[in-house]
Amino acid sequence: MLIEMVPLVILLALSIVGKNQPVAVATSLLLIIKLLGLNSWFLPLESKGMTIGITILTLAILAPLASGRISINTIVDTFRSPIALIALAAGVFVAWAAGRGLLFINSSPEIVTSLVLGTVVGVCFLQGVPIGPLIAGGLVSLAITCTNFFR
């Protein structure tokens, strides 16, 4: 049981050194769950955690729209700029990449460690955001597809 916690302890240490509170909190909660012997919680976390997390993230992103801080006129005006069109294309690409990443992670779970470690390094030392494994997985999947195309 102790050896199973080593990766989490390393991630916790990296998140503390990198001053990344979300990763530190998530890792700490997982360690507490493990230490308390609540192993039955891991399956629901794995199966429903992404949906719950993405829902909470979406709530936070849409809150300014719901509160009225962003009006319909502001949205319409924004789409008249080239930056908005680039942002729209980037949003479509990232959503597509994250979708492919989720499929890739589900079909190749052994790669999760590398994706998570890369994301933690990016979060802790490059001021990234810890949603990277899905997008990273999508980019890996895209790279594999492109590599296979040229064979």
Side-chain angles (χ1 to χ4, degrees):
M1 182 164 117
L2 185 58
I3 195 74
E4 294 172 351
M5 289 194 261
V6 170
L8 289 174
V9 171
I10 291 169
L11 290 175
L12 179 59
L14 282 172
S15 64
I16 291 169
V17 168
K19 296 181 176 93
N20 189 277
Q21 186 178 4
V23 174
V25 169
T27 307
S28 296
L29 288 173
L30 290 171
L31 282 167
I32 290 168
I33 290 169
K34 187 74 174 166
L35 287 170
L36 292 176
L38 302 172
N39 293 339
S40 63
W41 289 24
F42 290 124
L43 186 59
L45 277 174
E46 285 182 47
S47 64
K48 303 289 186 211
M50 287 284 197
T51 302
I52 293 167
I54 291 169
T55 301
I56 292 170
L57 179 63
T58 304
L59 280 168
I61 290 169
L62 295 177
L65 185 64
S67 71
R69 207 167 55 103
I70 298 175
S71 69
I72 293 289
N73 292 337
T74 303
I75 294 169
V76 171
D77 289 343
T78 300
F79 279 104
R80 294 183 182 147
S81 75
I83 293 172
L85 297 176
I86 293 169
L88 180 65
V92 168
F93 175 75
V94 169
W96 173 82
R100 282 188 66 128
L102 187 56
L103 294 173
F104 180 68
I105 287 170
N106 287 335
S107 67
S108 302
E110 69 281 356
I111 202 70
V112 169
T113 304
S114 296
L115 292 172
V116 170
L117 184 57
T119 299
V120 167
V121 169
V123 166
C124 292
F125 302 108
L126 302 173
Q127 289 76 48
V129 178
I131 59 166
L134 289 179
I135 298 168
L139 295 177
V140 170
S141 174
L142 179 61
I144 290 169
T145 301
C146 290
T147 303
N148 290 339
F149 178 77
F150 290 111
R151 283 189 182 172

